[in-house]
Amino acid sequence: MSNPSSSYNGPERVFSGIQPTGALHLGNYLGALTKFVALQHTHECIFCVVDLHAITMAQDPDKLRANTREAAATFIAAGLDPKKAIIFVQSAVPAHTELTWIFNCTARMGWLERMTQFKDKAGKDKERASVGLFDYPVLQAADILAYKATHVPVGEDQKQHLELSRDIAERFNRQYDAPGFFPLPEPLIKGPGARVMSLKDGTKKMSKSDPSDLSRINLDDDADTIARKIKKARTDPEPLPSDTGGLAGRDGAANLVGIYAALAQTSDQAVLDEFGGQGFGVFKPALAELAVSTLAPVSEKLRTLKADPAQIDRILHDGAARAQAIADPIIKEVRKTVGFWGAD
Ligand code: AQP
């Protein structure tokens, strides 16, 4: 990995998070979780269930608690080892909220007004959106920089937010005449599965909050449900083309080919080499078989973990203590740098 900032000379550290806003889906798995799992073998990794982010939209408290445990269980079911990577819940470590306030005074309104996710999520009625939804990317910058994380594995939808984190880090370093204090975190986006689209609309990303359950494959779906959702995925009547140029303007087909390639860890072209000229009557069952065989071990492990919430709670308590031990001295340095009383 490249050096995230020429003047930052701290250790490389990976941070990322997922919101507990519902069952995690294939987009979260391919865009984020599989990358987390690979990175835990090469880097110091911190992975977070971001419940503070979740409440930027209305949440039922009991559901939020259940979804938080379920998201943590899904991290482990997907292959994260809590002995290697730190797994914890965002609200358990106060550094995130404290640093958000400080960064609120570093970030500029104009920067946040350009964020497309706010525009998408707030919709037409942005006057009624929560201030938290507007401020979401600042909290994200605080999540990363509370640990001086240098690398952030995310799906493509988070690229703009990561650029904002870099802007905040750079401005803080300049504002307080502290060159290299914060690293400029690098997004790790490349690779298959960085952008998995809805099964019902190939122009929209697969999302937990899509009202249609048929739009996504959840990681706790059983084999029959996965096969049924793929069968009902919106495509077109044409057979698959023999090269990727032929997927232009065919969003549904391109999405299924991309999903197949990501699951098989190959390229879109290799998938078309095998299936070009075939119709969806052949391709969809092949994709369903691949999806089921890849996801079955994850959903099975998830079921076992969900049956033992006390074990998940132990892992999360341990993770929060380890995360806090990294963040505390960083926040102490931040307080001193900003000029807060009692920090010198
Ligand atoms: N469709 C996707 N394709 C690839 N990557 C994706 N990610 C999410 N959707 C896709 C990646 O998963 C990580 C966690 O995302 P998140 O749950 O914290 O927030 P999100 O991006 O807003 O995901 P959702 O499913 O759309 O959640 P809701 O509906 O609650 O807003 C991130 O790395 C993201 O890139």
Side-chain angles (χ1 to χ4, degrees), residues 20-247:
T21 37
L24 303 197
H25 52 70
L26 187 65
N28 300 132
Y29 180 74
L30 294 172
L33 286 170
T34 54
K35 293 177 189 160
F36 298 1
V37 171
L39 283 161
Q40 71 178 337
H41 301 297
T42 53
H43 281 75
E44 181 186 6
C45 288
I46 306 174
F47 296 120
C48 186
V49 180
V50 291
D51 55 348
L52 297 171
H53 281 281
I55 63 163
T56 57
M57 306 286 273
Q59 301 295 330
D60 172 89
D62 289 331
K63 266 198 198 143
L64 178 64
R65 237 182 313 274
N67 285 338
T68 299
R69 283 199 185 94
E70 175 157 350
T74 312
F75 282 16
I76 299 162
L80 281 180
D81 175 355
K83 290 200 183 73
K84 277 203 171 98
I86 295 177
I87 299 172
F88 76 108
V89 179
Q90 189 183 27
S91 62
V93 178
H96 296 255
T97 41
E98 180 168 353
L99 193 56
T100 298
W101 182 256
I102 293 167
F103 283 168
N104 275 337
C105 302
T106 294
R108 306 287 94 182
M109 290 291 288
W111 299 356
L112 290 173
E113 271 160 5
R114 285 194 286 276
M115 295 297 111
T116 54
Q117 182 171 295
F118 174 74
K119 290 180 198 157
D120 291 346
K121 290 204 170 177
K124 288 196 185 79
D125 202 1
K126 79 175 170 97
E127 296 299 312
R128 294 178 69 86
S130 73
V131 175
L133 188 66
F134 184 69
D135 203 32
Y136 185 111
V138 179
L139 175 58
Q140 199 169 336
D143 296 339
I144 298 162
L145 295 168
Y147 304 94
K148 294 195 176 181
T150 54
H151 294 86
V152 188
V154 281
E156 198 156 301
D157 56 312
Q158 293 300 321
K159 191 166 178 240
Q160 196 186 32
H161 287 172
L162 257 293
E163 278 158 13
L164 190 107
S165 295
R166 290 169 64 88
D167 290 343
I168 290 175
E170 198 169 29
R171 191 170 205 280
F172 181 97
N173 292 352
R174 244 186 309 112
Q175 179 181 4
Y176 292 105
D177 196 17
F181 182 84
F182 282 122
L184 310 189
E186 294 248 318
L188 301 173
I189 293 179
K190 283 201 185 68
R195 193 161 170 76
V196 178
M197 309 309 278
S198 157
L199 298 179
K200 287 276 132 203
D201 178 351
T203 64
K204 269 174 42 188
K205 78 164 187 157
M206 186 176 282
S207 177
K208 291 183 228 96
S209 53
D210 191 313
S212 167
D213 191 54
L214 285 175
S215 69
R216 62 185 161 260
I217 293 172
N218 297 316
L219 297 180
D220 60 359
D221 281 345
D222 60 26
D224 288 348
T225 308
I226 293 175
R228 186 168 50 85
K229 287 179 174 177
I230 291 175
K231 193 169 173 202
K232 286 180 173 270
R234 182 168 299 167
T235 47
D236 54 49
E238 301 299 315
L240 283 171
S242 50
D243 61 62
T244 50
L247 289 171

